[in-house]
Structures are given as C-alpha cells and as structure tokens.
Amino acid sequence: MRSFERKNIKSMVGYTPGEQPEVESVIKLNTNENPYPPPQSVADVLSQIDVASLRRYPSPSARQFRKVAAKLHHVKPENIIATNGGDELLRLLLTTFVEVGSPIGVADPSYSLYPVLAAIHDSPVRRVSLTSDWELPDDFAEQMNAFGVKLSFVVNPHAPSGKLVPVTRLTEIAQKLDGILVIDEAYVDFIDPDQDYNSIKLINQFDNIVILRTLSKGYSLAGLRFGYGIGPARLIEPMQNKTKDSYNMDLISQKLGVAALQDQAAAKRTWQAVCDERSRMVLEFDQLGLTSLPSQANFLLVEIPSECAGGAEALYQTFKNEGVLVRFFNEERLKNKLRITVGTPQENSALLQILKTAINK
Ligand SMILES: *Cc1c(COP(=O)(O)O)cnc(C)c1O
C-alpha cells in the first residue's frame, strides 16, 4: 500500500480525547464539563427552530453572535470571531500567524492539543516549564523570544492545576513578547468573582493578544461545539475573512450560542454552584489527608500518595470500576495526581464515598 500522507502527518500521533462513555449512568468527572444542563432559554430556542430555515446558508460571520458577545464583553463585533469549539480557534491561530515549520510556544504542562496542532502544521513546540508552584517563570517572555516563537499559549486559569495568573502578569508578558500571546480562558467562568479577573481590556492596549473563550465548559454546551476569540481587529480580521471555513458555524449553533450568552443569569447560577462545591471538595479531600492545589477552575488536581488506595493510577481504576471517571495523566509531574472535575453535590458525594472505602481497605 502506498502512503499519501504528508511526512509530518504520517509520523505524528493524534490527540487522545478524554474517555466519552456511551452509557449515561457513568459519573463523568474526567473532561471538565459543566455538571448542570443548559438553561430552559436555550432549550426553548432549540425547540423553535424551523427545519425549513436550514434550507439556506447561515450567516458566514455569525453576525448576531458577534454582536451579542461584543456587547457582553464591552468590545466591538470586529473584536470577536465565532469558531467551531475553541479548538478551531487554536487551529486558525496557527494557520494564520505561524509560518509552516516555525515554532510555537507553550507553558508546560498544559493542553495536550497544542502539540498536536503544531505537528499538523509541521511546527516544533518550544516548552517553557512552569515552576514547582505551577507558575509562569519570570523570564517566560524572554525565553519565548529567544526561541523565535511568534505564537505562545498560556492557559488561564491553568489546566490541569487550576492556578490563576493575575492580569498584571499577563500584561508584562504581552509587553515583552515579540509574538502573539494566546490566553486560553476555557475555564474563566469558574473564577471566584472576588478575584476581579478581567483580561479583556488588554485587547485595546496590545496588538498581540488573543483570548479564547468557549461555551463547552461554563455554558454547559460541550456537545454544541462553540467557542470564540476576542482580540484586536487586526488579529481577528484575517481569521474571520481569510482562513476560517466560509460557513464554519451552522445555523443551529449560531442560534443556541446567542441564546446561551444572553442568559447570563442562568449560567452564573451554575458557576456559583460549582464554586461552592469546589470549596467543599477541597475541605473534604483535606480531611482525608489529600492535598489539592488552590483551583480557580471547575476541577481539582489532587495529589494521591502511593500509600493512598494504591496511588493515582490504581485509584483512577477503582473509581472507573465503580462507575466514576476521573482523569489520570501518565506524565512526569502528573502521575501521582488525579484531575477531578467538580460535579453536582450528589456526584461529588458519590466520588467521596468510593474514595473513603478505597482508603480504608
Ligand atoms: C476545553 C478546552 C478548550 C476548548 O474546548 P472546545 O470544546 O473546543 O471549546 C481549550 N483549551 C482548554 C485548555 C480546554 O480545556
């Protein structure tokens, strides 16, 4: 058999998604979905979609969504691009701003899709390790510049640690970077409101910042595949008018995306519930002698010493056997930890019950 794949595609390894079981009864605390369903307002819009309206192409620019998102974030529609999941935005950033074969930069460890997208683009990945406290090193920007990187990714709040980088630090980095800083804010909605985090004003101060948002986590719509970018018009425009698929957002998505963003009250109720449960889980783990990092996301990275229930990997398997999925990463800094999504109070209590039994065995 001949192979027609490009050389880099043939040699690369694809993305490994988290397990997505078919059975509904599994308690799914492995891929950081919102545990609450989307609101009635979104269900209503869905039920009112007339199939006949699918005969026509949708708005190529997701016009209405861009307007609604711009209003929400106090920016202009030109500062917004709607994408098929945040993942499409990541791909567009590479396609639009990185010469094929030129390196991209990531804070390490972080989202494992970045290296996959880089491999597709035939670009090497330059990694700057986070400190032992999961913080960006002081010379993050200098290191990226020395590598000649033109696109750097920072997840904030960070995954998988949940650590939040303050806006002042992001400002310093953007100022120093020769290239674009992508702030991947997939988990931004779960930041404690007390933290007063707002990075969006940076897009008016810098020409090299793009912020990623998604409806997958905060808005309970991972199944819809809806993300968006916020950035200076000069960065949004080439993605919007040149590199994205001409009709990247289908009509149903556009309507539901608008409805979801417009119902802030409903979304905020779920964020608060998740924050409350996150606090409870930190205390519960603590009482069991397990430490977790202070998280501003909807998950906790919990350290599992080897003497506790056989260690992280064994405990992952125990949870799985009992119908609870969590995330185990077989990587240097992570293999003694589990990343556990914050679920509903009932889901979390079920997990704790299994944990207590496993510890006492
Ligand atoms: C979930 C996630 C995204 C985007 O996911 P989509 O479902 O494609 O919107 C981006 N970055 C990180 C770190 C994520 O966890």
Side-chain angles (χ1 to χ4, degrees), residues 85-87 90 111 114 155 159 184 186-187 212 214 216-217 225-227:
D87 292 350
L90 299 173
Y111 191 26
Y114 303 144
V155 184
D184 182 338
Y187 300 102
L212 176 148
T214 176
S216 292
K217 318 282 169 43
R225 310 305 305 131
F226 204 121

Side-chain angles (χ1 to χ4, degrees), residues 191-321:
I191 296 174
D192 200 321
D194 297 352
Q195 297 275 332
D196 223 14
Y197 176 88
N198 178 4
S199 62
I200 291 173
K201 55 181 191 268
L202 298 182
I203 69 151
N204 296 316
Q205 295 166 27
F206 294 98
D207 64 0
N208 64 338
I209 285 192
V210 176
I211 296 168
L212 176 148
R213 296 292 186 102
T214 176
L215 305 194
S216 292
K217 318 282 169 43
Y219 292 86
S220 309
L221 289 168
L224 192 66
R225 310 305 305 131
F226 204 121
Y228 58 105
I230 313 170
R234 281 282 289 277
L235 295 182
I236 298 297
E237 191 276 332
M239 297 191 283
Q240 182 68 38
N241 297 328
K242 299 179 191 170
T243 49
K244 78 168 180 63
D245 287 348
S246 35
Y247 299 99
N248 65 328
M249 306 304 290
D250 66 79
L251 182 132
I252 298 171
S253 294
Q254 291 191 33
K255 285 190 188 269
L256 300 192
V258 166
L261 229 55
Q262 280 177 329
D263 198 343
Q264 286 294 303
K268 280 184 180 154
R269 281 194 293 275
T270 71
W271 305 342
Q272 188 57 52
V274 167
C275 284
D276 292 347
E277 275 297 287
R278 179 174 69 205
S279 304
R280 172 172 86 100
M281 292 302 280
V282 170
L283 291 177
E284 296 271 13
F285 286 129
D286 197 49
Q287 279 170 11
L288 294 169
L290 299 176
T291 40
S292 58
L293 290 161
S295 171
Q296 288 295 314
N298 67 334
F299 52 81
L300 292 167
L301 190 63
V302 187
E303 193 168 329
I304 313 292
S306 52
E307 64 276 12
C308 170
E313 190 168 15
L315 183 57
Y316 154 81
Q317 196 57 52
T318 303
F319 281 138
K320 187 172 175 171
N321 295 343

